[in-house]
Amino acid sequence: MLRTVVSGLALAAMLGGAALAETFEVQMLNKGADGGRMVFEPAFIHAQPGDTIKFIAANKGHNAELNKGMMPAGAEGFKGKINEEIEVTLDAEGIYGVICKPHFAMGMVMTIAVGDAEVPENFFEGRVPQKAKERFEAQLANLATN
C-alpha cells in the first residue's frame, strides 16, 4: 500500500511540472486587428522555459521560422512549412526572433522572450530589412514592461 502511495505521489510530481507549462497560440495573418499588414498576433510573447508556441496558419502564404542568429545559445531552430501549423516547445532562456520567410522584408516578425531574457548585443547582426528591424525594436520594448 505504501509503495502504491509513494509511486502515485512521484507520478503526480512529474506530471505537475508539465501541467504548469503554458501553450500560446499565434495567428499568422495578412491583416491584423490594428490594420497592420503581414503580422503575427500576438507579435510579442513572454514565455517560460518549457512553454509551447503554436503557430496557426490563419491566412495562406505564411510560415514561422527562427531567423538565423536571433536565438539563444543552445536553442534549437525551427522552420515551419508554408500554410502549415507548427508547434514548438522552447526550453532555452533568451530572445527568439521569429520571421515569416516570404514576408520578412514586409516586417512580418515576432519576438519571444523566454524566462529572464535580455536582448543580446548581436541580435541585429546579419541582414534584417528596415521594416522588420522597426517591428522587432517595437516588440523588444515590451521587455521593459513585462
Side-chain angles (χ1 to χ4, degrees), residues 2 26-27 30 46 89 107 110:
L2 180 61
V26 177
Q27 304 282 321
N30 293 338
H46 197 159
T89 300
M110 78 166 293

Side-chain angles (χ1 to χ4, degrees), residues 44-48 111 113 115-117 139-146:
F44 177 83
I45 291 175
H46 197 159
Q48 295 304 314
T111 304
D116 295 325
Q139 294 161 11
L140 291 167
N142 288 301
L143 283 174
T145 60
N146 283 319

Side-chain angles (χ1 to χ4, degrees), residues 2-81:
L2 180 61
R3 191 163 125 186
T4 304
V5 171
V6 171
S7 296
L9 288 173
L11 180 60
M14 288 188 324
L15 294 176
L20 296 176
E22 194 169 345
T23 298
F24 296 89
E25 290 189 353
V26 177
Q27 304 282 321
M28 297 181 280
L29 302 166
N30 293 338
K31 187 175 181 182
D34 67 355
R37 300 189 52 76
M38 304 303 165
V39 296
F40 290 97
E41 282 190 355
F44 177 83
I45 291 175
H46 197 159
Q48 295 304 314
D51 285 350
T52 298
I53 313 298
K54 181 178 182 180
F55 294 93
I56 300 169
N59 297 134
K60 291 185 178 187
H62 304 293
N63 81 322
E65 65 182 81
L66 278 179
N67 194 32
K68 292 179 183 174
M70 289 186 161
M71 67 180 130
E76 289 189 36
F78 62 84
K79 182 177 183 178
K81 295 180 181 177

